[in-house]
Amino acid sequence: QVQLVESGGGSVQPGGSLRLSCKVSGYIDSSYLKAWFRQVPGKEREGVAVLASDGKTRYADSVKGRFTISQDNAKNTLFLQMHSLKPEDTAMYYCAADNELPLAVGLSPHAFRNWGQGTQVTVSS
């Protein structure tokens, strides 16, 4: 069982920055994926960024060059640093984690069993 708790969401103007955090606890294998997803009402949850246990990452095309996924192993915390935020980045952001998944499925919400409760990000002037 893996527990995840997000924080760091809020309201920001276009062009601004936010850093989301996700505290991860429970059993994490030596081979894992940790990821960020987002969802707006009426739309399917979409993958934003994923980090594998070997350090490899993948990003959605819409956030490449603006968002960075990272983690602090000592604090068991996953981060999503977001820069140059746009109104279309407005969504509920969720972190997810699971063991023994290939990076190729890391942006698919259907691959993950363990989810946080979400944190809202609103980008508006």
Side-chain angles (χ1 to χ4, degrees), residues 62-77:
S62 59
V63 306
K64 281 181 182 176
R66 301 189 298 123
F67 291 11
T68 302
I69 188 170
S70 64
Q71 65 177 343
D72 183 332
N73 289 319
K75 296 181 179 180
N76 295 322
T77 302

Side-chain angles (χ1 to χ4, degrees), residues 81-125:
Q81 180 68 56
M82 305 184 292
H83 293 300
S84 303
L85 282 161
K86 305 175 182 180
E88 51 263 44
D89 294 318
T90 296
M92 185 72 79
Y93 283 70
Y94 299 88
C95 62
D98 218 321
N99 297 312
E100 303 293 338
L101 290 178
L103 186 60
V105 303
L107 294 180
S108 171
H110 306 290
F112 290 84
R113 296 171 295 174
N114 305 298
W115 294 87
Q117 81 289 350
T119 186
Q120 178 68 36
V121 172
T122 302
V123 184
S124 173
S125 55

